[in-house]
Amino acid sequence: MRKLVQALFFISFAFSSQAQIVDFSNATIHVTKELKSPYRETYLRLIQEEIKSRTDLNLRVQDKSDAMPIIALVFATDQNLNGISLPQLPKNSPAFAKEGYAFSIDISTKRPILWLIGGDERGILFSLGEFFRKAHLSKHKILVDKKYDVAVSPLHTIRGHQLGYRNTANSWDAWDAKHYEQYIRDLALFGTNAIENIPMEDTPLGPHMKLSREEMNVKLSQICQNYGLDYWVWTPAIVDLADEAKFKQEVIKHTDFYKRTPKIDGVFFPGGDPGSNHPKYVLPFLKALSAELKLSHPAAGMWVSLQGFSDEEVNYFYEYLEKYQPNWLVGVVTGPSSPDLASTRFRLPKQYKHRHYPDITHTVRCQYPTENWDQAFALTEGREVSNPQPVYYAKIHQRFAHLTDGSIAYSDGVHDDVNKVVWSQKSVDPSKDVRDVLVEYARFFFGNQVSEQVADGILALERNWVGPVEENGGIETTFSYWKNLEIQYPTLKNNWRWQQLLLRAYYDTYIKRRKIHEQKLENQANLILTKASQIGVLKAMEMALAKVNEADNASVNSDLRQKIIYYCDALFTSIGLQSSVVKYQASGAERGAVLDFIDYPLNNRWWLADEFEKIKKMTKEEDQLARIAVIANWENPGIGSFYDNVSDVAKGPRVTTRTDDGTDVLWEENGKSRRRLSSQLYQNFPKLTYVDLDPNAKYSIRISGYGEALLRVDGVRIAPTLYQKGMGEFKEFQLSPQYVRDGKIEVSFDEPEESHLNWRQHSKVFDVWLFKN
């Protein structure tokens, strides 16, 4: 049956629209003599190993022409290869450019030739990537469509990813050098030309680390050297650089690292993340480092970010550049908590380069939070879940690409693997269609037969995360789709990328079903609480708590839960993914520990239990009943009144501000906060619009939040009648009838002066009520 399916596939492939299939199954590999060591050995090993793993074919390397098909690795400037003339490329062909390449097939002779042509060594490497992404490789077959005749010159000169070997990573801290090389190779075949390491953290080795940091630092540098990739390092200074002795000691520390490292191309110094040194100390420090760096690595460059800098510090930096025009500085990196990309490019003198440091790895509490993400996912899947968002990150890339010379993206694990590939391919060719990238991704990692299906399945997983789960019928459809793929392609069960995608399909569905179930239980509990005056305060609380705690019944969707556990086990085995702090020794709950949050409450049962204990301590029944009434009617203030959870896509219909750092998820008690769910989401300065109000009625506003709430209605500041600043406490404002005479109001909040506080202590708004009095 399998042979029949393969035969039918090849027939359909061969007769598809405009297809002209060329068979290179019996090819020999020829390589230009101009390709020197170590690239020659590395690239030949690459092509032979990758073909072997996909086809079980052992292609030979030879330097004499015969009747066999040829796969030729050459430079665009070569005149011939073993007596065979190269294709005539136009003088302006992108293949002649730095890192440019061409991919073409010559069938004019008796034996076909697949030309993989590079403008330089990297160009040949990237032409190999084009081959592996386009070729249809299967058991004993190498088929290429003649229509794939391309010439490419990458858009950006910097196209990298940070793969820092440290304990905080959720997976590659468990890797050896072989695992790292394979992953770096995979990224290179999709256009990545730089890898950034984090080599100098002083934290203890993690339980999974097989090599010391010093050993792995050298090996990563050597891997990049062998493949011809740039090797960058992220090296902060946590010490007080104003202290002259510590300054000199830190220079020695960095210099020793430079001397031990075989290859360094870029040094990135994060200005204030971490660290808190003023640029008047940072810049002399970097100048001293640059002098030492050039002794060991003459072509290496020094870069700095302005992350965490105050306005005064940012201005000091640019005044320094204008005054001294330092030639030791290559450029500026813009990352999370930096001044925005546009203003940086505007203020940065043109002789300095500009590098993006995009966070494509995190979903919340990050530079580019996931848009319109349901709170249920945010609280369970968390910050480092398998997060393929190809359309979202392609949009971000397009938004900012013109402002930079390229990027090295932030990452702390393999959960963002799809995003890395999309970002790299968009950095090569921004016009490339996202789905085409996904088809090539799936073809390369999963095989020809499933490539189109997987591409659509990844796009469907991204759509799972758009809007309230209760209203997203696509989650169940996507789940069925991936279950069918799981059944149809059992041979992929040990492929870690396959495991990640299936884990997401199961997890999304489990969380959706659980949220719907648990929210229904809470609605029923609230109905019980509304009858507290009839059945008694203690009895009502007891019955209500019993009802919401029915959510702890593990038999609900237990089959999905077991499958999630299965894939977490499989991923730990296959790639070292640490999805639990307890079970797999993840370095922290935020570091991809999705298994630890699989049963985190999606109703307010923990909060209710705590509130009921407070109510029991009240001495007056009327006070008990008043508080129970607030709890029971929290989200149902009555006819003519309105409630908004300002950051919940399901419960904030009047909120006009959403993500792009407008919405965030609180992080307390290592993610196991017992606060009300609405208080675990927040905005700092939300805006709300109300229409169809009764022009003859009186209205008041209640705010639940933390800190200040400088309320404006239709642009006018309103004085409070109650103003409690504690976490989850209330502020209340009575509105004059003049505001609602036209039947509508706009609500907004002024930003208080809190620059002296850490962003975690800034004022927040959780819930907003508009009561018709």
Side-chain angles (χ1 to χ4, degrees):
M1 176 60 72
R2 185 174 299 168
K3 290 182 179 178
L4 175 60
V5 170
Q6 288 180 339
L8 291 173
F9 168 75
F10 292 135
I11 291 170
S12 64
F13 177 47
F15 287 97
S16 63
S17 175
Q18 297 181 335
Q20 187 175 1
I21 308 309
V22 185
D23 192 335
F24 289 93
S25 306
N26 298 316
T28 56
I29 302 171
H30 292 229
V31 58
T32 174
K33 291 180 173 59
E34 299 304 317
L35 184 61
K36 305 302 182 184
S37 180
Y39 313 118
R40 184 185 190 87
E41 296 83 0
T42 302
Y43 297 171
L44 287 174
R45 180 166 55 87
L46 182 161
I47 190 171
Q48 289 177 310
E49 288 177 354
E50 296 299 329
I51 286 177
K52 172 70 173 177
S53 69
R54 289 163 173 79
T55 69
D56 207 28
L57 292 170
N58 294 297
L59 297 195
R60 293 179 293 111
V61 179
Q62 66 182 47
D63 57 8
K64 293 183 179 180
S65 178
D66 54 26
M68 306 297 285
I70 292 174
I71 298 176
L73 281 61
V74 297
F75 289 116
T77 53
D78 287 337
Q79 298 300 311
N80 65 78
L81 175 67
N82 301 328
I84 306 170
S85 296
L86 268 66
Q88 292 297 311
L89 297 174
K91 291 183 178 180
N92 60 349
S93 171
F96 289 102
K98 184 178 181 181
E99 300 192 9
Y101 64 89
F103 171 98
S104 67
I105 297 175
D106 182 1
I107 55 174
S108 62
T109 62
K110 290 182 179 179
R111 44 97 169 87
I113 303 175
L114 172 60
W115 292 102
L116 302 179
I117 306 171
D120 53 15
E121 288 82 1
R122 284 186 192 170
I124 291 179
L125 175 62
F126 299 141
S127 73
L128 283 167
E130 190 78 30
F131 163 65
F132 280 109
R133 299 196 309 272
K134 293 293 197 301
H136 288 241
L137 307 177
S138 59
K139 188 72 170 180
H140 297 153
K141 285 292 181 181
I142 303 173
L143 304 177
V144 187
D145 193 336
K146 176 71 169 62
K147 72 179 181 183
Y148 295 130
D149 194 342
V150 299
V152 177
S153 176
L155 167 72
H156 278 148
T157 57
I158 307 171
R159 306 182 306 280
H161 297 283
Q162 191 178 76
L163 310 181
Y165 184 65
R166 57 177 181 167
N167 184 37
T168 52
N170 62 35
S171 48
W172 50 57
D173 56 327
W175 293 3
D176 57 21
K178 185 177 179 180
H179 279 101
Y180 255 115
E181 179 180 359
Q182 183 62 57
Y183 196 57
I184 291 170
R185 176 192 289 184
D186 291 344
L187 292 174
L189 292 175
F190 280 88
T192 296
N193 72 357
I195 299 298
E196 186 166 78
N197 188 20
I198 299 175
M200 296 175 62
E201 287 207 348
D202 294 326
T203 55
L205 287 178
H208 305 292
M209 298 174 84
K210 297 177 174 62
L211 297 176
S212 70
R213 276 187 295 272
E214 291 75 18
E215 290 176 287
M216 187 62 86
N217 292 340
V218 171
K219 288 184 180 297
L220 290 177
S221 177
Q222 289 171 336
I223 290 168
C224 290
Q225 189 172 49
N226 290 337
Y227 281 83
L229 304 177
D230 284 348
Y231 181 66
W232 287 61
V233 289
W234 180 91
T235 54
I238 311 300
V239 303
D240 181 5
L241 295 177
D243 184 314
E244 186 176 350
K246 291 180 179 178
F247 182 109
K248 291 180 179 178
Q249 187 176 18
E250 192 73 7
V251 170
I252 293 171
K253 173 184 172 182
H254 286 242
T255 301
D256 288 344
F257 166 71
Y258 300 156
K259 292 176 180 177
R260 293 193 306 269
T261 307
K263 172 184 172 69
I264 297 178
D265 297 282
V267 173
F268 166 26
F269 182 89
D273 184 17
S276 56
N277 288 292
H278 193 282
K280 65 184 177 183
Y281 303 113
V282 167
L283 292 166
F285 176 69
L286 296 184
K287 182 179 180 180
L289 286 186
S290 180
E292 298 294 338
L293 177 66
K294 294 292 184 183
L295 296 177
S296 305
H297 306 279
M302 187 69 64
W303 297 64
V304 65
S305 73
L306 312 186
Q307 292 170 269
F309 280 11
S310 68
D311 289 347
E312 182 273 327
E313 290 171 329
V314 170
N315 289 333
Y316 179 96
F317 173 79
Y318 285 114
E319 289 167 4
Y320 179 97
L321 294 191
E322 185 175 346
K323 181 177 181 180
Y324 296 104
Q325 299 182 17
N327 59 11
W328 52 263
L329 181 68
V330 176
V332 168
V333 177
T334 295
S337 73
S338 292
D340 67 85
L341 284 146
S343 65
T344 299
R345 182 64 275 175
F346 175 75
R347 296 191 69 177
L348 190 62
K350 291 185 178 180
Q351 67 262 38
Y352 300 108
K353 294 183 179 180
H354 186 205
R355 191 197 110 184
H356 197 181
Y357 183 36
D359 182 352
I360 63 174
T361 200
H362 291 135
T363 54
V364 293
R365 296 181 293 280
C366 61
Q367 185 181 22
Y368 303 120
T370 300
E371 295 181 313
N372 299 315
W373 209 29
D374 192 288
Q375 183 186 27
F377 289 147
L379 294 175
T380 55
E381 298 187 322
R383 196 167 184 244
E384 288 184 4
V385 64
S386 172
N387 66 335
Q389 298 177 86
V391 175
Y392 178 50
Y393 287 113
K395 180 179 70 174
I396 293 173
H397 186 280
Q398 183 176 3
R399 178 180 172 186
F400 296 120
H402 66 287
L403 298 170
T404 74
D405 297 287
S407 61
I408 296 180
Y410 172 60
S411 178
D412 254 321
V414 296
H415 60 285
D416 57 4
D417 187 64
V418 170
N419 303 336
K420 288 190 181 88
V421 165
V422 170
W423 196 274
S424 290
Q425 281 287 280
K426 283 290 186 178
S427 297
V428 172
D429 180 3
S431 68
K432 192 163 185 177
D433 179 76
V434 169
R435 188 178 180 277
D436 289 344
V437 176
L438 297 180
V439 169
E440 292 181 6
Y441 176 89
R443 180 183 295 130
F444 183 73
F445 293 117
F446 307 130
N448 310 321
Q449 288 177 273
V450 73
S451 59
E452 299 276 346
Q453 293 167 280
V454 169
D456 290 334
I458 292 172
L459 291 169
L461 285 174
E462 181 172 23
R463 290 192 292 271
N464 276 7
W465 281 3
V466 179
V469 298
E470 302 93 328
E471 301 171 12
N472 192 339
I475 294 174
E476 293 287 350
T477 303
T478 300
F479 176 54
S480 297
Y481 186 91
W482 276 101
K483 275 189 71 177
N484 287 335
L485 290 178
E486 180 185 33
I487 294 167
Q488 291 172 29
Y489 298 97
T491 56
L492 292 170
K493 67 178 182 179
N494 295 323
N495 184 310
W496 66 264
R497 291 177 170 93
W498 186 256
Q499 293 166 350
Q500 281 206 134
L501 297 170
L502 280 162
L503 173 61
R504 257 292 306 283
Y506 276 97
Y507 208 113
D508 286 356
T509 308
Y510 180 69
I511 295 304
K512 175 184 177 177
R513 293 179 184 179
R514 199 159 69 78
K515 182 185 180 185
I516 291 172
H517 173 63
E518 296 185 17
Q519 292 283 305
K520 284 181 179 177
L521 294 177
E522 183 166 343
N523 290 337
Q524 294 168 10
N526 286 333
L527 285 176
I528 295 170
L529 291 176
T530 61
K531 301 173 183 177
S533 60
Q534 289 91 39
I535 63 178
V537 169
L538 294 179
K539 185 65 174 177
M541 291 192 298
E542 179 185 348
M543 292 174 62
L545 196 57
K547 177 56 65 175
V548 291
N549 283 340
E550 289 179 18
D552 291 323
N553 182 354
S555 65
V556 177
N557 296 307
S558 60
D559 55 334
L560 271 67
R561 190 178 186 278
Q562 287 303 312
K563 214 53 185 290
I564 292 167
I565 294 171
Y566 165 81
Y567 277 116
C568 287
D569 282 338
L571 281 160
F572 182 71
T573 300
S574 63
I575 202 69
L577 186 72
Q578 301 132 42
S579 56
S580 168
V581 174
V582 175
K583 190 173 183 179
Y584 304 117
Q585 296 177 286
S587 63
E590 271 193 300
R591 297 297 183 177
V594 296
L595 192 58
D596 292 345
F597 294 89
I598 189 173
D599 296 319
Y600 184 75
L602 299 179
N603 63 23
N604 287 299
R605 58 186 181 274
W606 287 3
W607 179 77
L608 283 174
D610 295 345
E611 289 299 307
F612 290 167
E613 289 301 313
K614 296 175 186 176
I615 290 172
K616 288 177 184 178
K617 295 176 182 178
M618 294 179 178
T619 56
K620 296 181 180 180
E621 185 180 22
E622 57 264 36
D623 292 338
Q624 292 178 319
L625 289 171
R627 181 57 181 171
I628 286 177
V630 169
I631 292 171
N633 298 300
W634 191 281
E635 297 180 9
N636 299 284
I639 296 175
S641 297
F642 306 90
Y643 165 77
D644 286 273
N645 176 342
V646 300
S647 299
D648 191 327
V649 293
K651 297 178 179 179
R654 282 156 290 276
V655 181
T656 60
T657 47
R658 284 298 178 197
T659 48
D660 199 7
D661 250 2
T663 302
D664 223 328
V665 181
L666 208 62
W667 181 257
E668 293 182 331
E669 305 297 329
N670 275 328
K672 296 294 181 71
S673 172
R674 296 179 65 87
R675 296 189 187 279
R676 185 175 176 86
L677 295 183
S678 64
S679 68
Q680 295 186 52
L681 288 172
Y682 68 87
Q683 291 191 38
N684 300 106
F685 323 110
K687 294 181 181 179
L688 300 90
T689 299
Y690 298 86
V691 296
D692 300 324
L693 303 181
D694 183 347
N696 299 312
K698 292 183 179 179
Y699 287 90
S700 62
I701 292 177
R702 176 188 291 167
I703 307 294
S704 169
Y706 169 77
E708 305 289 348
L710 307 180
L711 178 73
R712 287 185 182 270
V713 174
D714 291 342
V716 179
R717 176 75 71 82
I718 306 298
T721 55
L722 176 68
Y723 205 75
Q724 299 173 316
K725 295 185 180 182
M727 185 71 74
E729 293 183 333
F730 292 155
K731 302 174 181 66
E732 295 182 354
F733 305 81
Q734 185 66 45
L735 301 188
S736 171
Q738 71 187 57
Y739 293 109
V740 296
R741 283 176 186 158
D742 60 354
K744 59 185 179 181
I745 59 171
E746 299 281 342
V747 170
S748 61
F749 294 83
D750 288 346
E751 180 177 358
E753 170 48 47
E754 295 177 327
S755 61
H756 58 290
L757 299 176
N758 181 278
W759 63 271
R760 294 175 178 84
Q761 280 76 54
H762 287 185
S763 296
K764 303 170 179 63
V765 175
F766 304 144
D767 310 88
V768 178
W769 293 263
L770 180 65
F771 291 108
K772 184 179 180 181
N773 300 328

